Amino acid sequence: MKYDINNLTIDTLFEQQAQLSPEAQAVSFQGESLSYQELDGRANQLAHYLQDQGVTVNSLVGICLDRSINLIVSVLAILKAGAAYLPLDQAYPADRLRLMIEDSAVPVIITQKHLDETLPSTGEKRIFLDCEAACIAHFPDSQPSKQTTPDSLAYVIYTSGSTGKPKGVAMPHCSLVNLLNWQKQQFKNPQARTLQFTPISFDVSFQEIFSTLISGGTVVLIGDADRRNSETLLAYLCENSVERLFLPFIALQNLAEAATTTLKLPVRLQEIITAGEQLKITRSMVSLFDRLQDCSLVNQYGPSESHVVTQHVLTGPPREWPHLPPIGQPIDNAQLYLLKTPSRREDDPLALAEPGEPGELAIGGLCLAKGYLNQPELTRSRFIKNPFVDEPETILYRTGDLVKRSKAGELEYIERLDDQVKVRGIRVELGEVEAQVSQHAMVKANAISARKRADGITYLAAYIVPNSPQYLQNSMELELQLRAFLKERLPICMMPTFFEFLPTLPLTPSGKVDRRALPEPHQERP
């Protein structure tokens, strides 16, 4: 479906909804809440204040705040002022924050006084919401004038780079408006109470916040400590009648594990949407959805350079769901191509993979970022001319992800092309090994990593979080069980050589498994 995005921006979509449901609850946190009318008014006041401080169209405004209603007000105000927001996660190391601030040359940062020392100073202006609240409140609560267009920037979010240096993905309004319009049509209940779980430095947070606010729902915030504890999170979902939840796989798995030890479940949940890493259906997940009954599980896929581009809704009895669900069909106005591989050089002519043949996923259509901030060469290498259409200046983004199309026409994720693993000359899909390990009753969470010995031989290491703490002290029994269990399910080339047992898996600030932080395996063990 082709949406009319003329003059539509994210803030105008919100303003339209605020006019439709001014008295409805827009956001809540720890007993405090704002209606749509109140949220609109407070965001307008801050937007006027930002413009008074020199913020204009396509300005970048950094944002570093504790999780609170002011976080939602500030993100919305930045867009209303015509600017784009740059999330600065206070959990990031100081060197990474300094690089982001310097690389983006952000002129203004919205923050709080107690976070001032967290942020390296490079001469930019600081707006302290707690200290300047009275001044901001004197500005009008009417909509500010601005010259934002669908092509204007909405946010810049930094992601990891292959060189180890973060790169800023610059996303325009038009791509995100397309996503929001599509997502609103997909929801079981557009007005649902939605938990705001992910940090705003993770692009899923945009989806959590704005797919809810343009649909008349309520954004339910949760504190950092509560969101990191699965048992507390489960209780919070119940107490706040949360109906929709966006979770990365590892957080969903931890939630499912926590649910196995309690009789109280968040029965108001209607749908859980997962994205960010490959979804694997585990025993505890099957148990959770069996008990929830009316709750859907939705698997979405999309790199930061495009946000969501595919979706698959799992249906039928959870015990019949595949261990590795497909990533599904493209969203509206996304064009997906499977490129013949290997083809990574710029001078290689692009060709489409044969039917049934795996290929590198390339994305075109109305969903792409404008590229990488201040990195034109990197942008040109990844956002390339689309040779498969006649329209001039159309581009493709090469994801580096290997996928295949099933007989049913669903896309299935295989692996990263730039991190292929071969063991004894045979390509191994790490996600498949993880999916099999997760089926063991005593495994709470796991990650599989490819390692190399000094002689260059590749082997697999399994990192296991057991269900019972006793296995952290005496892990040999569980290791023997796992070897016997996997021997019946995996070819020998896919068997992990080493097993490491950890109390938790290391996570990135966005909630994904931090594979770089996994320890080296103890190679003296048999």
Side-chain angles (χ1 to χ4, degrees), residues 1 3 12-18 20-21 36 176-192 207 210-217 244 246 271 273 300 311 331-332:
M1 176 179 179
Y3 299 117
T12 57
L13 288 179
F14 166 77
E15 289 160 0
Q16 290 171 2
Q17 184 59 52
L20 291 173
S21 55
Y36 272 80
L176 296 171
V177 166
N178 180 70
L179 170 63
L180 294 177
N181 281 332
W182 168 85
Q183 183 67 84
K184 183 177 180 178
Q185 296 180 7
Q186 302 302 308
F187 285 147
K188 292 175 71 172
N189 173 18
Q191 290 81 39
Q207 204 176 353
F210 286 102
S211 66
T212 304
L213 291 180
I214 71 154
S215 305
R244 182 163 57 235
F246 291 79
E271 57 188 333
I273 300 169
Q300 294 185 344
Q311 173 175 284
I331 73 167
D332 291 341

mmCIF file of all heavy atoms in Angstrom, residues 1 3 12-18 20-21 36 176-192 207 210-217 244 246 271 273 300 311 331-332:
data_model
loop_
_atom_site.group_PDB
_atom_site.id
_atom_site.type_symbol
_atom_site.label_atom_id
_atom_site.label_comp_id
_atom_site.label_asym_id
_atom_site.label_seq_id
_atom_site.Cartn_x
_atom_site.Cartn_y
_atom_site.Cartn_z
ATOM 1 N N MET A 1 0.859 -1.206 0.000
ATOM 2 C CA MET A 1 0.000 0.000 0.000
ATOM 3 C C MET A 1 0.885 1.243 0.000
ATOM 4 O O MET A 1 1.856 1.332 0.735
ATOM 5 C CB MET A 1 -0.885 0.004 1.247
ATOM 6 C CG MET A 1 -1.738 1.248 1.394
ATOM 7 S SD MET A 1 -2.771 1.167 2.886
ATOM 8 C CE MET A 1 -3.589 2.747 2.751
ATOM 9 N N TYR A 3 1.259 4.968 0.992
ATOM 10 C CA TYR A 3 0.655 5.980 1.842
ATOM 11 C C TYR A 3 0.935 7.369 1.291
ATOM 12 O O TYR A 3 1.975 7.626 0.689
ATOM 13 C CB TYR A 3 1.230 5.896 3.259
ATOM 14 C CG TYR A 3 0.988 4.594 3.947
ATOM 15 C CD1 TYR A 3 2.051 3.783 4.309
ATOM 16 C CD2 TYR A 3 -0.297 4.169 4.238
ATOM 17 C CE1 TYR A 3 1.844 2.578 4.943
ATOM 18 C CE2 TYR A 3 -0.524 2.970 4.873
ATOM 19 C CZ TYR A 3 0.548 2.171 5.220
ATOM 20 O OH TYR A 3 0.337 0.983 5.840
ATOM 21 N N THR A 12 3.116 15.587 13.607
ATOM 22 C CA THR A 12 1.762 15.891 13.138
ATOM 23 C C THR A 12 0.841 14.689 13.332
ATOM 24 O O THR A 12 -0.351 14.869 13.620
ATOM 25 C CB THR A 12 1.755 16.325 11.660
ATOM 26 O OG1 THR A 12 2.346 15.306 10.854
ATOM 27 C CG2 THR A 12 2.501 17.621 11.468
ATOM 28 N N LEU A 13 1.351 13.486 13.176
ATOM 29 C CA LEU A 13 0.547 12.291 13.456
ATOM 30 C C LEU A 13 0.103 12.286 14.917
ATOM 31 O O LEU A 13 -1.050 11.961 15.230
ATOM 32 C CB LEU A 13 1.332 11.017 13.148
ATOM 33 C CG LEU A 13 1.581 10.675 11.682
ATOM 34 C CD1 LEU A 13 2.392 9.379 11.575
ATOM 35 C CD2 LEU A 13 0.273 10.540 10.910
ATOM 36 N N PHE A 14 1.035 12.633 15.827
ATOM 37 C CA PHE A 14 0.668 12.707 17.238
ATOM 38 C C PHE A 14 -0.373 13.802 17.483
ATOM 39 O O PHE A 14 -1.351 13.605 18.223
ATOM 40 C CB PHE A 14 1.900 12.966 18.103
ATOM 41 C CG PHE A 14 1.553 13.380 19.503
ATOM 42 C CD1 PHE A 14 1.125 12.452 20.442
ATOM 43 C CD2 PHE A 14 1.603 14.728 19.882
ATOM 44 C CE1 PHE A 14 0.764 12.845 21.720
ATOM 45 C CE2 PHE A 14 1.252 15.121 21.159
ATOM 46 C CZ PHE A 14 0.827 14.170 22.083
ATOM 47 N N GLU A 15 -0.164 14.952 16.886
ATOM 48 C CA GLU A 15 -1.085 16.074 17.097
ATOM 49 C C GLU A 15 -2.492 15.743 16.607
ATOM 50 O O GLU A 15 -3.487 16.143 17.231
ATOM 51 C CB GLU A 15 -0.534 17.319 16.404
ATOM 52 C CG GLU A 15 0.696 17.882 17.110
ATOM 53 C CD GLU A 15 1.537 18.783 16.236
ATOM 54 O OE1 GLU A 15 1.185 18.991 15.059
ATOM 55 O OE2 GLU A 15 2.576 19.288 16.739
ATOM 56 N N GLN A 16 -2.590 15.010 15.502
ATOM 57 C CA GLN A 16 -3.896 14.573 15.025
ATOM 58 C C GLN A 16 -4.583 13.691 16.061
ATOM 59 O O GLN A 16 -5.782 13.823 16.317
ATOM 60 C CB GLN A 16 -3.755 13.823 13.699
ATOM 61 C CG GLN A 16 -3.361 14.699 12.525
ATOM 62 C CD GLN A 16 -3.026 13.898 11.284
ATOM 63 O OE1 GLN A 16 -3.126 12.667 11.266
ATOM 64 N NE2 GLN A 16 -2.621 14.581 10.224
ATOM 65 N N GLN A 17 -3.806 12.760 16.670
ATOM 66 C CA GLN A 17 -4.390 11.871 17.671
ATOM 67 C C GLN A 17 -4.763 12.648 18.939
ATOM 68 O O GLN A 17 -5.781 12.365 19.573
ATOM 69 C CB GLN A 17 -3.412 10.749 18.017
ATOM 70 C CG GLN A 17 -3.946 9.714 18.982
ATOM 71 C CD GLN A 17 -5.201 9.031 18.467
ATOM 72 O OE1 GLN A 17 -5.215 8.525 17.348
ATOM 73 N NE2 GLN A 17 -6.246 9.009 19.280
ATOM 74 N N ALA A 18 -3.936 13.629 19.307
ATOM 75 C CA ALA A 18 -4.230 14.432 20.497
ATOM 76 C C ALA A 18 -5.550 15.192 20.335
ATOM 77 O O ALA A 18 -6.288 15.394 21.305
ATOM 78 C CB ALA A 18 -3.089 15.412 20.771
ATOM 79 N N LEU A 20 -8.065 14.034 18.562
ATOM 80 C CA LEU A 20 -9.124 13.020 18.590
ATOM 81 C C LEU A 20 -9.428 12.533 20.005
ATOM 82 O O LEU A 20 -10.572 12.215 20.330
ATOM 83 C CB LEU A 20 -8.728 11.820 17.715
ATOM 84 C CG LEU A 20 -8.688 12.046 16.205
ATOM 85 C CD1 LEU A 20 -8.111 10.818 15.493
ATOM 86 C CD2 LEU A 20 -10.094 12.335 15.682
ATOM 87 N N SER A 21 -8.381 12.444 20.843
ATOM 88 C CA SER A 21 -8.584 11.885 22.194
ATOM 89 C C SER A 21 -7.849 12.725 23.233
ATOM 90 O O SER A 21 -6.921 12.241 23.896
ATOM 91 C CB SER A 21 -8.101 10.441 22.235
ATOM 92 O OG SER A 21 -6.745 10.346 21.810
ATOM 93 N N TYR A 36 -3.429 13.175 26.614
ATOM 94 C CA TYR A 36 -2.889 13.592 25.326
ATOM 95 C C TYR A 36 -2.812 15.122 25.248
ATOM 96 O O TYR A 36 -1.836 15.679 24.734
ATOM 97 C CB TYR A 36 -3.749 13.038 24.187
ATOM 98 C CG TYR A 36 -3.317 11.658 23.745
ATOM 99 C CD1 TYR A 36 -3.691 10.532 24.468
ATOM 100 C CD2 TYR A 36 -2.510 11.478 22.630
ATOM 101 C CE1 TYR A 36 -3.287 9.268 24.079
ATOM 102 C CE2 TYR A 36 -2.097 10.218 22.226
ATOM 103 C CZ TYR A 36 -2.489 9.112 22.950
ATOM 104 O OH TYR A 36 -2.073 7.854 22.576
ATOM 105 N N LEU A 176 9.804 6.731 8.812
ATOM 106 C CA LEU A 176 9.193 6.364 10.090
ATOM 107 C C LEU A 176 7.679 6.534 10.056
ATOM 108 O O LEU A 176 6.948 5.749 10.679
ATOM 109 C CB LEU A 176 9.810 7.201 11.208
ATOM 110 C CG LEU A 176 11.309 6.941 11.418
ATOM 111 C CD1 LEU A 176 11.902 7.959 12.378
ATOM 112 C CD2 LEU A 176 11.559 5.528 11.918
ATOM 113 N N VAL A 177 7.187 7.532 9.332
ATOM 114 C CA VAL A 177 5.738 7.686 9.167
ATOM 115 C C VAL A 177 5.166 6.465 8.451
ATOM 116 O O VAL A 177 4.097 5.952 8.807
ATOM 117 C CB VAL A 177 5.416 8.986 8.402
ATOM 118 C CG1 VAL A 177 3.964 8.999 7.920
ATOM 119 C CG2 VAL A 177 5.685 10.194 9.289
ATOM 120 N N ASN A 178 5.878 5.973 7.445
ATOM 121 C CA ASN A 178 5.444 4.763 6.745
ATOM 122 C C ASN A 178 5.349 3.583 7.716
ATOM 123 O O ASN A 178 4.373 2.824 7.720
ATOM 124 C CB ASN A 178 6.411 4.432 5.612
ATOM 125 C CG ASN A 178 6.016 3.182 4.855
ATOM 126 O OD1 ASN A 178 5.030 3.157 4.126
ATOM 127 N ND2 ASN A 178 6.776 2.108 5.040
ATOM 128 N N LEU A 179 6.374 3.425 8.565
ATOM 129 C CA LEU A 179 6.368 2.344 9.552
ATOM 130 C C LEU A 179 5.199 2.486 10.518
ATOM 131 O O LEU A 179 4.492 1.509 10.808
ATOM 132 C CB LEU A 179 7.692 2.337 10.315
ATOM 133 C CG LEU A 179 7.759 1.427 11.543
ATOM 134 C CD1 LEU A 179 7.590 -0.041 11.147
ATOM 135 C CD2 LEU A 179 9.062 1.640 12.306
ATOM 136 N N LEU A 180 4.974 3.698 11.022
ATOM 137 C CA LEU A 180 3.906 3.911 11.996
ATOM 138 C C LEU A 180 2.525 3.648 11.393
ATOM 139 O O LEU A 180 1.666 3.029 12.030
ATOM 140 C CB LEU A 180 3.978 5.334 12.550
ATOM 141 C CG LEU A 180 5.215 5.676 13.386
ATOM 142 C CD1 LEU A 180 5.183 7.136 13.802
ATOM 143 C CD2 LEU A 180 5.333 4.775 14.599
ATOM 144 N N ASN A 181 2.315 4.108 10.162
ATOM 145 C CA ASN A 181 1.029 3.868 9.508
ATOM 146 C C ASN A 181 0.785 2.377 9.324
ATOM 147 O O ASN A 181 -0.327 1.880 9.543
ATOM 148 C CB ASN A 181 0.979 4.576 8.157
ATOM 149 C CG ASN A 181 0.696 6.053 8.276
ATOM 150 O OD1 ASN A 181 0.045 6.490 9.217
ATOM 151 N ND2 ASN A 181 1.184 6.840 7.332
ATOM 152 N N TRP A 182 1.825 1.654 8.927
ATOM 153 C CA TRP A 182 1.692 0.198 8.754
ATOM 154 C C TRP A 182 1.461 -0.481 10.103
ATOM 155 O O TRP A 182 0.581 -1.331 10.238
ATOM 156 C CB TRP A 182 2.958 -0.360 8.094
ATOM 157 C CG TRP A 182 3.028 -1.861 8.129
ATOM 158 C CD1 TRP A 182 2.458 -2.731 7.245
ATOM 159 C CD2 TRP A 182 3.685 -2.658 9.119
ATOM 160 N NE1 TRP A 182 2.720 -4.027 7.630
ATOM 161 C CE2 TRP A 182 3.473 -4.011 8.771
ATOM 162 C CE3 TRP A 182 4.429 -2.373 10.261
ATOM 163 C CZ2 TRP A 182 3.973 -5.074 9.518
ATOM 164 C CZ3 TRP A 182 4.928 -3.421 11.017
ATOM 165 C CH2 TRP A 182 4.706 -4.743 10.644
ATOM 166 N N GLN A 183 2.264 -0.110 11.104
ATOM 167 C CA GLN A 183 2.185 -0.779 12.399
ATOM 168 C C GLN A 183 0.816 -0.578 13.033
ATOM 169 O O GLN A 183 0.259 -1.505 13.634
ATOM 170 C CB GLN A 183 3.274 -0.258 13.326
ATOM 171 C CG GLN A 183 3.333 -0.941 14.678
ATOM 172 C CD GLN A 183 3.755 -2.388 14.597
ATOM 173 O OE1 GLN A 183 4.930 -2.700 14.546
ATOM 174 N NE2 GLN A 183 2.782 -3.291 14.581
ATOM 175 N N LYS A 184 0.263 0.608 12.906
ATOM 176 C CA LYS A 184 -1.053 0.888 13.483
ATOM 177 C C LYS A 184 -2.105 -0.063 12.936
ATOM 178 O O LYS A 184 -3.002 -0.519 13.665
ATOM 179 C CB LYS A 184 -1.436 2.344 13.187
ATOM 180 C CG LYS A 184 -2.757 2.780 13.799
ATOM 181 C CD LYS A 184 -3.022 4.251 13.509
ATOM 182 C CE LYS A 184 -4.343 4.717 14.124
ATOM 183 N NZ LYS A 184 -4.573 6.165 13.868
ATOM 184 N N GLN A 185 -1.994 -0.408 11.648
ATOM 185 C CA GLN A 185 -2.950 -1.329 11.034
ATOM 186 C C GLN A 185 -2.748 -2.769 11.494
ATOM 187 O O GLN A 185 -3.679 -3.577 11.430
ATOM 188 C CB GLN A 185 -2.839 -1.262 9.515
ATOM 189 C CG GLN A 185 -3.216 0.087 8.922
ATOM 190 C CD GLN A 185 -3.081 0.103 7.415
ATOM 191 O OE1 GLN A 185 -2.833 -0.922 6.784
ATOM 192 N NE2 GLN A 185 -3.239 1.273 6.820
ATOM 193 N N GLN A 186 -1.542 -3.101 11.959
ATOM 194 C CA GLN A 186 -1.232 -4.479 12.342
ATOM 195 C C GLN A 186 -1.648 -4.805 13.774
ATOM 196 O O GLN A 186 -1.845 -5.971 14.116
ATOM 197 C CB GLN A 186 0.268 -4.741 12.186
ATOM 198 C CG GLN A 186 0.827 -4.517 10.796
ATOM 199 C CD GLN A 186 0.143 -5.380 9.759
ATOM 200 O OE1 GLN A 186 0.036 -6.592 9.918
ATOM 201 N NE2 GLN A 186 -0.322 -4.763 8.686
ATOM 202 N N PHE A 187 -1.738 -3.807 14.633
ATOM 203 C CA PHE A 187 -2.016 -4.054 16.039
ATOM 204 C C PHE A 187 -3.362 -4.749 16.240
ATOM 205 O O PHE A 187 -4.352 -4.424 15.579
ATOM 206 C CB PHE A 187 -2.030 -2.740 16.829
ATOM 207 C CG PHE A 187 -0.674 -2.149 17.094
ATOM 208 C CD1 PHE A 187 -0.525 -0.772 17.155
ATOM 209 C CD2 PHE A 187 0.425 -2.953 17.313
ATOM 210 C CE1 PHE A 187 0.720 -0.202 17.418
ATOM 211 C CE2 PHE A 187 1.670 -2.394 17.574
ATOM 212 C CZ PHE A 187 1.826 -1.032 17.622
ATOM 213 N N LYS A 188 -3.401 -5.667 17.190
ATOM 214 C CA LYS A 188 -4.669 -6.275 17.586
ATOM 215 C C LYS A 188 -5.574 -5.228 18.235
ATOM 216 O O LYS A 188 -6.772 -5.200 18.016
ATOM 217 C CB LYS A 188 -4.411 -7.426 18.567
ATOM 218 C CG LYS A 188 -3.723 -8.613 17.951
ATOM 219 C CD LYS A 188 -3.380 -9.657 18.991
ATOM 220 C CE LYS A 188 -4.595 -10.381 19.536
ATOM 221 N NZ LYS A 188 -4.222 -11.510 20.413
ATOM 222 N N ASN A 189 -4.951 -4.365 19.041
ATOM 223 C CA ASN A 189 -5.685 -3.290 19.718
ATOM 224 C C ASN A 189 -4.829 -2.037 19.674
ATOM 225 O O ASN A 189 -3.920 -1.872 20.485
ATOM 226 C CB ASN A 189 -5.995 -3.688 21.162
ATOM 227 C CG ASN A 189 -6.606 -2.537 21.952
ATOM 228 O OD1 ASN A 189 -7.099 -1.572 21.373
ATOM 229 N ND2 ASN A 189 -6.559 -2.624 23.279
ATOM 230 N N PRO A 190 -5.077 -1.134 18.732
ATOM 231 C CA PRO A 190 -4.225 0.063 18.609
ATOM 232 C C PRO A 190 -4.163 0.899 19.880
ATOM 233 O O PRO A 190 -3.152 1.551 20.151
ATOM 234 C CB PRO A 190 -4.890 0.843 17.462
ATOM 235 C CG PRO A 190 -5.601 -0.195 16.660
ATOM 236 C CD PRO A 190 -6.098 -1.195 17.667
ATOM 237 N N GLN A 191 -5.230 0.898 20.696
ATOM 238 C CA GLN A 191 -5.264 1.724 21.907
ATOM 239 C C GLN A 191 -4.684 1.006 23.127
ATOM 240 O O GLN A 191 -4.923 1.417 24.268
ATOM 241 C CB GLN A 191 -6.707 2.152 22.221
ATOM 242 C CG GLN A 191 -7.293 3.166 21.252
ATOM 243 C CD GLN A 191 -7.813 2.543 19.980
ATOM 244 O OE1 GLN A 191 -8.407 1.463 20.019
ATOM 245 N NE2 GLN A 191 -7.593 3.197 18.852
ATOM 246 N N ALA A 192 -3.906 -0.018 22.921
ATOM 247 C CA ALA A 192 -3.396 -0.825 24.035
ATOM 248 C C ALA A 192 -2.429 -0.033 24.920
ATOM 249 O O ALA A 192 -1.777 0.926 24.485
ATOM 250 C CB ALA A 192 -2.683 -2.063 23.494
ATOM 251 N N GLN A 207 9.508 2.876 18.135
ATOM 252 C CA GLN A 207 8.301 2.129 17.798
ATOM 253 C C GLN A 207 7.378 1.996 19.010
ATOM 254 O O GLN A 207 6.161 2.165 18.902
ATOM 255 C CB GLN A 207 8.716 0.755 17.290
ATOM 256 C CG GLN A 207 7.738 0.057 16.388
ATOM 257 C CD GLN A 207 8.317 -1.251 15.895
ATOM 258 O OE1 GLN A 207 9.481 -1.556 16.121
ATOM 259 N NE2 GLN A 207 7.504 -2.025 15.222
ATOM 260 N N PHE A 210 5.967 5.854 19.686
ATOM 261 C CA PHE A 210 5.144 6.576 18.715
ATOM 262 C C PHE A 210 4.078 5.714 18.039
ATOM 263 O O PHE A 210 3.037 6.250 17.639
ATOM 264 C CB PHE A 210 6.036 7.281 17.699
ATOM 265 C CG PHE A 210 6.706 8.496 18.274
ATOM 266 C CD1 PHE A 210 8.032 8.462 18.663
ATOM 267 C CD2 PHE A 210 5.992 9.667 18.470
ATOM 268 C CE1 PHE A 210 8.636 9.573 19.227
ATOM 269 C CE2 PHE A 210 6.579 10.787 19.030
ATOM 270 C CZ PHE A 210 7.907 10.743 19.410
ATOM 271 N N SER A 211 4.280 4.403 17.926
ATOM 272 C CA SER A 211 3.179 3.589 17.411
ATOM 273 C C SER A 211 2.018 3.603 18.400
ATOM 274 O O SER A 211 0.857 3.433 18.020
ATOM 275 C CB SER A 211 3.636 2.154 17.135
ATOM 276 O OG SER A 211 3.983 1.485 18.326
ATOM 277 N N THR A 212 2.323 3.843 19.675
ATOM 278 C CA THR A 212 1.288 3.958 20.703
ATOM 279 C C THR A 212 0.642 5.341 20.687
ATOM 280 O O THR A 212 -0.588 5.467 20.701
ATOM 281 C CB THR A 212 1.894 3.682 22.094
ATOM 282 O OG1 THR A 212 2.529 2.402 22.085
ATOM 283 C CG2 THR A 212 0.822 3.699 23.166
ATOM 284 N N LEU A 213 1.464 6.390 20.625
ATOM 285 C CA LEU A 213 0.943 7.754 20.728
ATOM 286 C C LEU A 213 0.183 8.211 19.495
ATOM 287 O O LEU A 213 -0.603 9.161 19.583
ATOM 288 C CB LEU A 213 2.082 8.731 21.030
ATOM 289 C CG LEU A 213 2.719 8.628 22.419
ATOM 290 C CD1 LEU A 213 3.825 9.655 22.577
ATOM 291 C CD2 LEU A 213 1.666 8.800 23.515
ATOM 292 N N ILE A 214 0.389 7.596 18.338
ATOM 293 C CA ILE A 214 -0.412 7.986 17.168
ATOM 294 C C ILE A 214 -1.688 7.151 17.074
ATOM 295 O O ILE A 214 -2.510 7.358 16.175
ATOM 296 C CB ILE A 214 0.379 7.856 15.854
ATOM 297 C CG1 ILE A 214 0.601 6.391 15.489
ATOM 298 C CG2 ILE A 214 1.678 8.637 15.907
ATOM 299 C CD1 ILE A 214 0.795 6.134 14.021
ATOM 300 N N SER A 215 -1.844 6.192 18.010
ATOM 301 C CA SER A 215 -2.976 5.263 17.949
ATOM 302 C C SER A 215 -3.960 5.435 19.092
ATOM 303 O O SER A 215 -4.947 4.695 19.172
ATOM 304 C CB SER A 215 -2.455 3.819 17.942
ATOM 305 O OG SER A 215 -1.532 3.605 16.892
ATOM 306 N N GLY A 216 -3.683 6.346 20.019
ATOM 307 C CA GLY A 216 -4.589 6.565 21.135
ATOM 308 C C GLY A 216 -4.338 5.675 22.325
ATOM 309 O O GLY A 216 -5.165 5.617 23.239
ATOM 310 N N GLY A 217 -3.206 4.973 22.356
ATOM 311 C CA GLY A 217 -2.874 4.112 23.477
ATOM 312 C C GLY A 217 -2.132 4.859 24.573
ATOM 313 O O GLY A 217 -1.937 6.074 24.507
ATOM 314 N N ARG A 244 0.498 -4.583 25.598
ATOM 315 C CA ARG A 244 1.403 -4.806 24.467
ATOM 316 C C ARG A 244 2.843 -4.622 24.941
ATOM 317 O O ARG A 244 3.143 -3.734 25.743
ATOM 318 C CB ARG A 244 1.102 -3.841 23.322
ATOM 319 C CG ARG A 244 1.980 -4.064 22.090
ATOM 320 C CD ARG A 244 1.412 -3.406 20.856
ATOM 321 N NE ARG A 244 1.192 -1.985 21.008
ATOM 322 C CZ ARG A 244 0.031 -1.369 20.791
ATOM 323 N NH1 ARG A 244 -1.034 -2.053 20.422
ATOM 324 N NH2 ARG A 244 -0.073 -0.062 20.937
ATOM 325 N N PHE A 246 7.076 -4.882 23.628
ATOM 326 C CA PHE A 246 8.168 -5.077 22.673
ATOM 327 C C PHE A 246 9.374 -5.567 23.478
ATOM 328 O O PHE A 246 9.825 -4.870 24.392
ATOM 329 C CB PHE A 246 8.535 -3.767 21.978
ATOM 330 C CG PHE A 246 7.504 -3.227 21.024
ATOM 331 C CD1 PHE A 246 6.391 -2.548 21.492
ATOM 332 C CD2 PHE A 246 7.655 -3.362 19.655
ATOM 333 C CE1 PHE A 246 5.440 -2.025 20.626
ATOM 334 C CE2 PHE A 246 6.715 -2.843 18.764
ATOM 335 C CZ PHE A 246 5.608 -2.172 19.258
ATOM 336 N N GLU A 271 -0.389 -8.926 22.894
ATOM 337 C CA GLU A 271 0.638 -9.248 21.892
ATOM 338 C C GLU A 271 2.020 -8.874 22.416
ATOM 339 O O GLU A 271 2.193 -7.876 23.112
ATOM 340 C CB GLU A 271 0.359 -8.560 20.551
ATOM 341 C CG GLU A 271 0.248 -7.067 20.571
ATOM 342 C CD GLU A 271 -0.221 -6.501 19.232
ATOM 343 O OE1 GLU A 271 0.012 -7.137 18.184
ATOM 344 O OE2 GLU A 271 -0.827 -5.418 19.233
ATOM 345 N N ILE A 273 5.834 -8.366 20.802
ATOM 346 C CA ILE A 273 6.558 -8.163 19.553
ATOM 347 C C ILE A 273 8.042 -8.244 19.857
ATOM 348 O O ILE A 273 8.533 -7.562 20.760
ATOM 349 C CB ILE A 273 6.199 -6.805 18.928
ATOM 350 C CG1 ILE A 273 4.691 -6.752 18.634
ATOM 351 C CG2 ILE A 273 7.004 -6.554 17.657
ATOM 352 C CD1 ILE A 273 4.179 -5.375 18.263
ATOM 353 N N GLN A 300 9.541 -9.615 14.271
ATOM 354 C CA GLN A 300 9.854 -8.571 13.296
ATOM 355 C C GLN A 300 11.353 -8.538 13.012
ATOM 356 O O GLN A 300 12.162 -8.958 13.837
ATOM 357 C CB GLN A 300 9.387 -7.204 13.803
ATOM 358 C CG GLN A 300 7.875 -7.090 13.928
ATOM 359 C CD GLN A 300 7.414 -5.701 14.320
ATOM 360 O OE1 GLN A 300 8.194 -4.879 14.794
ATOM 361 N NE2 GLN A 300 6.128 -5.420 14.110
ATOM 362 N N GLN A 311 7.639 -8.908 8.921
ATOM 363 C CA GLN A 311 6.931 -9.376 10.106
ATOM 364 C C GLN A 311 6.354 -10.768 9.870
ATOM 365 O O GLN A 311 5.884 -11.082 8.778
ATOM 366 C CB GLN A 311 5.796 -8.417 10.469
ATOM 367 C CG GLN A 311 4.894 -8.930 11.594
ATOM 368 C CD GLN A 311 3.860 -7.925 12.032
ATOM 369 O OE1 GLN A 311 4.177 -6.976 12.737
ATOM 370 N NE2 GLN A 311 2.613 -8.118 11.607
ATOM 371 N N ILE A 331 6.842 -5.354 5.054
ATOM 372 C CA ILE A 331 5.806 -4.397 5.417
ATOM 373 C C ILE A 331 5.456 -3.576 4.180
ATOM 374 O O ILE A 331 6.120 -3.664 3.131
ATOM 375 C CB ILE A 331 6.265 -3.473 6.568
ATOM 376 C CG1 ILE A 331 7.295 -2.443 6.073
ATOM 377 C CG2 ILE A 331 6.845 -4.285 7.723
ATOM 378 C CD1 ILE A 331 7.557 -1.322 7.068
ATOM 379 N N ASP A 332 4.413 -2.768 4.279
ATOM 380 C CA ASP A 332 4.001 -1.938 3.152
ATOM 381 C C ASP A 332 5.137 -1.011 2.716
ATOM 382 O O ASP A 332 5.844 -0.423 3.544
ATOM 383 C CB ASP A 332 2.793 -1.085 3.540
ATOM 384 C CG ASP A 332 1.542 -1.929 3.750
ATOM 385 O OD1 ASP A 332 1.508 -3.078 3.257
ATOM 386 O OD2 ASP A 332 0.614 -1.440 4.419
#
